[in-house]
């Protein structure tokens, strides 16, 4: 079965454009697409198929991921299930062959090399800045104002009325944990509340 996979992700081109690219590729290769499947994750395609020996055609390689590691994971996942994957724009074909496995090993190796290089460059840059006498980290200073600062008097009023922290959170539109943290960080509110 030949399936056209259309990626619903907003990071990709539109569904109609993807469909056109897939259909044009199929026509140029002398076959037609049996069914189109549209989703935001290609892994979901397996649950909708009963037959083996499926070929999936995608418009472009970013249809199966937006990071190189995600693309490699999805290709490995599909070929391990005996799918053949074709990326029309790049004219790439992936199957359970030795060639695909070698290509994926190369991709994994390049990801590891890149991560190592980023780590080394960052470490060296931080050492250099430290040697130059620069202070690393966030600047010391006063705490950032809480988002609840604007509701300070409303919180005190509701506490004096005997409202629970859960009721206050619902009334203000924030999490209960944020109310607990705000009251913990501002113990003076309890004193002011008693004066009301």
């Amino acid at each position: 079965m030949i399936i056209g996979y259309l990626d619903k992700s907003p990071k990709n081109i539109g569904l109609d454009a993807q469909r056109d690219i897939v259909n044009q590729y199929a026509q140029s290769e002398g076959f037609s697409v049996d069914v189109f499947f549209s989703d935001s994750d290609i892994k979901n395609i397996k649950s909708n198929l009963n037959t083996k020996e499926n070929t999936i055609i995608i418009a472009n390689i970013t249809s199966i991921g937006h990071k190189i590691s995600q693309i490699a994971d999805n290709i490995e996942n599909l070929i391990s299930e005996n799918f053949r994957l074709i990326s029309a724009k790049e004219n790439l074909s992936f199957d359970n062959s030795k060639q695909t496995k070698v290509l994926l090993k190369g991709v994994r190796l390049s990801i590891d090399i890149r991560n190592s290089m980023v780590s080394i460059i960052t470490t060296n840059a931080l050492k250099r800045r430290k040697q130059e006498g620069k202070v690393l980290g966030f600047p010391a200073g006063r705490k950032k104002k809480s988002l609840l600062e604007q509701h300070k008097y409303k919180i005190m009023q509701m506490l004096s009325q005997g409202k629970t922290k859960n009721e206050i959170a619902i009334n203000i539109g924030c999490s209960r944990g944020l109310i607990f943290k705000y009251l913990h960080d501002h113990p003076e509110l309890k004193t002011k509340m008693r004066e009301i």
Side-chain angles (χ1 to χ4, degrees), residues 7 15 17 21 28 33 76 80 90 92 94 100 126 129 134 144-146 150 162 178 193:
D7 178 29
L15 296 178
I21 291 170
S28 72
V33 176
E76 284 177 347
S80 70
E90 294 84 6
L92 293 171
F94 304 97
T100 298
L126 289 172
R129 289 190 66 127
K134 305 253 177 160
K144 184 179 164 186
K145 274 192 171 184
S146 170
Q150 63 188 359
L178 190 58
M193 184 190 77

Side-chain angles (χ1 to χ4, degrees), residues 12-74:
N12 207 338
I13 59 176
L15 296 178
D16 290 335
Q18 290 180 62
R19 185 185 308 270
D20 290 344
I21 291 170
V22 169
N23 278 330
Q24 287 170 7
Y25 178 85
Q27 285 176 347
S28 72
E29 295 296 315
F31 54 85
S32 64
V33 176
D34 297 318
V35 64
F36 279 93
F37 180 78
S38 180
D39 202 318
S40 57
D41 189 351
I42 198 161
K43 292 176 193 163
N44 297 333
I45 202 167
K46 293 187 292 188
S47 60
N48 293 317
L49 299 172
N50 299 327
T51 61
K52 302 217 181 223
E53 299 296 320
N54 293 300
T55 297
I56 301 170
I57 304 174
I58 55 177
N60 54 47
I61 201 70
T62 59
S63 296
I64 60 170
H66 300 289
K67 294 180 182 175
I68 295 174
S69 58
Q70 185 182 24
I71 291 169
D73 288 343
N74 284 334

